[in-house]
Amino acid sequence: MKALSVLGSTGSIGTQTLELAEEFPDRFKVVALTAGNNLDLLVQQICRHAPEAVAVSDPERVAALRERLDALDPAKRPARLPELLGGNEGLCAAAAWSSADLVVTGIVGCAGLLPTLAAIKAGKDLALANKETLIAAGPVVLPELEKSGSRLLPADSEHSAIFQCLQGTPYAETARLSTGVPTPGLRRIQLTASGGAFRDWAPEDLIKATVADATSHPNWSMGRKITVDSASLMNKGLEVIEAHYLFGLDYDQIEIVIHPQSIIHSMVELADSSVLAQLGWPDMKLPILYCLSWPERLETPWRRLDLTEVGSLTFRKPDPARYPCMALAYAAGRAGGTMPAVMNAANEQAVALFLDEQIHFLDIPKLIDGVCDRHRVDLMGAPSLDDVLAVDAWARQAVREAAALVAA
Ligand code: NAD
Ligand code: MG
């Protein structure tokens, strides 16, 4: 029985993780949950999973959560109510919860950084969905992993595919790299990308793109921020940096391929030129389950892949003019140090402004580019956690100021 702490339990990754816990009740139990604002769903999750601890990001909402739990029919609520926690401290305590074996990081954005570090420092293994944390703070996270011995199991479908293809290599045994060491025998990674909501739009039509257009993904059902990132291809750019930190390859060895069917979840090329791929329907449950069950594979009754139903798998190179975020992410990754943190924070802020209809979709890369450009002179090569948090806050503020100028 593996005990799970689920961070971001009310989101897309979080709810799918809890569905897996229900599907395999003799394998997984939930001991801690954290959430942002959706108290209704959180209360339902507490009733179903009876965790030992629950944290909400806003400390002022702990009292409201307690009232709701107290108001429940005693027959319908767990016999023992969870310990209720709040704020960053509460999120970190839930992430490091003593009885948890594996922490699923389903918080969106750099807000996941401190809880993720708390889990690593407590020696927990991680199912890493919250890619922004590794991208912003790779130079801080990797040494902590090495120190604590925590294993980083990739939940992102592409990185899970790579991890699955690497079974039999030393990497798969440790699920952890020594900082900066490339995975032995791995020569190239090809990350597949669906192309997102605008893949079939004429570039001149992008000026008409609305929030509704950008938040409807052709293949995957995910949270709003990552769906916008998929439309801009920033999600794939972030995944390039994620792959660099997870598998230790240089940026020249990590490529992006547009694959509209989302059946091949990524490919690796090994030293002898053999290419391995992992295939499946586009469904996050499989990569999440593999994190939970690794190194075992569990029998599932899920719909089996039928390639004759899919018919054809196609591939093309991504057009850099259509997807300017791709080049921004490679450049930030290559600059290293604090630059990925700045780019990630600028993207988070720009996407939030876009979702709030304050800027246009096409402003997102322009704002990120401007802020990264300004940071070049202040770049720190080997940042501390405080440095990462400081540049993150600076980049968000810089985007807000630049966006206000655009709007004025
Ligand atoms: P989501 O928006 O559906 O859910 C986010 C969760 O985080 C919610 O529970 C929310 O309450 C919580 N949260 C939001 N802001 C918070 C804050 N400031 N402090 C604490 N908690 C906060 O997002 P998602 O789509 O589930 O994505 C979560 C992470 O997983 C992201 O980093 C994303 O890139 C990654 N990911 C998601 C998918 C997917 O299919 N959804 C696939 C691959 C990777
Ligand atoms: Mg992905």
Side-chain angles (χ1 to χ4, degrees):
M1 180 69 86
K2 210 173 263 181
L4 309 178
S5 170
V6 184
L7 312 183
S9 67
T10 54
S12 163
I13 291 289
T15 51
Q16 294 183 82
T17 304
L18 294 183
E19 283 169 28
L20 289 169
E22 287 190 37
E23 206 169 326
F24 298 94
D26 51 347
R27 302 295 303 237
F28 311 118
K29 68 173 179 179
V30 177
V31 293
L33 296 174
T34 84
N37 290 319
N38 190 345
L39 292 193
D40 289 338
L41 181 55
L42 184 58
V43 168
Q44 286 175 29
Q45 294 178 340
I46 293 169
C47 291
R48 283 187 103 94
H49 296 277
E52 296 164 18
V54 174
V56 285
S57 50
D58 179 356
E60 311 226 316
R61 306 204 71 190
V62 175
L65 179 59
R66 181 166 291 121
E67 269 169 39
R68 285 190 196 212
L69 291 172
D70 286 341
L72 288 174
D73 178 347
K76 290 194 183 142
R77 69 177 189 211
R80 243 183 82 195
L81 287 179
E83 189 168 325
L84 301 185
L85 308 155
N88 254 330
E89 229 171 85
L91 298 178
C92 290
W97 197 249
S98 62
S99 58
D101 302 309
L102 180 78
V103 180
V104 181
T105 67
I107 292 176
V108 60
C110 207
L113 174 54
L114 296 178
T116 301
L117 280 174
I120 294 172
K121 285 186 173 153
K124 308 290 179 193
D125 287 344
L126 276 95
L128 181 86
N130 175 225
K131 65 190 88 178
E132 294 91 343
T133 283
L134 189 58
I135 289 147
V140 177
V141 171
L142 293 185
E144 289 295 341
L145 279 173
E146 225 179 332
K147 242 192 271 172
S148 78
S150 294
R151 292 177 291 203
L152 206 52
L153 301 157
D156 213 349
S157 57
E158 297 75 5
H159 306 75
S160 172
I162 295 162
F163 182 52
Q164 293 182 56
C165 292
L166 290 177
Q167 298 307 302
T169 69
Y171 179 80
E173 280 152 38
T174 55
R176 178 181 60 250
L177 278 176
S178 299
T179 316
V181 177
T183 302
L186 176 60
R187 189 152 81 178
R188 181 170 61 137
I189 285 173
Q190 286 181 295
L191 293 172
T192 50
S194 69
F198 300 131
R199 67 185 181 200
D200 299 323
W201 285 41
E204 60 273 20
D205 288 342
L206 283 178
I207 194 74
K208 292 183 238 150
T210 64
V211 170
D213 294 328
T215 49
S216 45
H217 196 283
N219 301 359
W220 299 90
S221 154
M222 311 182 287
R224 278 159 69 81
K225 188 255 176 188
I226 185 175
T227 306
V228 175
D229 284 349
S230 299
S232 68
L233 227 71
M234 179 54 96
N235 182 49
K236 212 53 53 183
L238 295 174
E239 289 179 355
V240 166
I241 304 175
E242 185 184 9
H244 165 77
Y245 284 132
L246 281 173
F247 306 111
L249 291 194
D250 287 339
Y251 287 95
D252 300 349
Q253 297 168 287
I254 307 171
E255 295 170 6
I256 298 173
V257 184
I258 303 281
H259 167 45
Q261 297 81 16
S262 296
I263 295 294
I264 291 187
H265 297 309
S266 279
M267 292 170 266
V268 301
E269 183 184 311
L270 303 177
D272 60 0
S273 83
S274 186
V275 174
L276 307 186
Q278 185 262 336
L279 286 71
W281 297 116
D283 183 342
M284 282 305 293
K285 279 230 181 111
L286 185 52
I288 301 172
L289 178 65
Y290 191 59
C291 289
L292 305 192
S293 71
W294 178 86
E296 275 182 73
R297 288 199 182 261
L298 300 185
E299 180 87 30
T300 77
W302 300 342
R303 182 166 73 118
R304 292 159 72 180
L305 180 62
D306 179 356
L307 285 177
T308 62
E309 190 183 314
V310 183
S312 58
L313 302 179
T314 58
F315 306 90
R316 60 175 188 260
K317 284 201 163 84
D319 173 4
R322 176 189 283 263
Y323 297 117
C325 286
M326 204 171 53
L328 294 175
Y330 270 102
R334 287 192 167 105
T338 41
M339 193 59 90
V342 165
M343 186 209 57
N344 174 67
N347 179 59
E348 282 189 36
Q349 183 62 74
V351 170
L353 290 171
F354 167 68
L355 286 170
D356 206 25
E357 299 186 330
Q358 294 190 43
I359 60 168
H360 193 271
F361 181 73
L362 294 174
D363 293 329
I364 296 174
K366 289 183 203 154
L367 289 165
I368 299 169
D369 193 18
V371 170
C372 288
D373 208 31
R374 284 179 59 194
H375 182 62
R376 229 170 289 280
V377 288
D378 298 322
L379 189 138
M380 287 170 264
S384 66
L385 175 61
D386 286 344
D387 296 332
V388 169
L389 296 174
V391 299
D392 176 284
W394 172 82
R396 286 168 205 264
Q397 179 63 24
V399 166
R400 285 193 293 270
E401 284 166 12
L405 288 179
V406 172

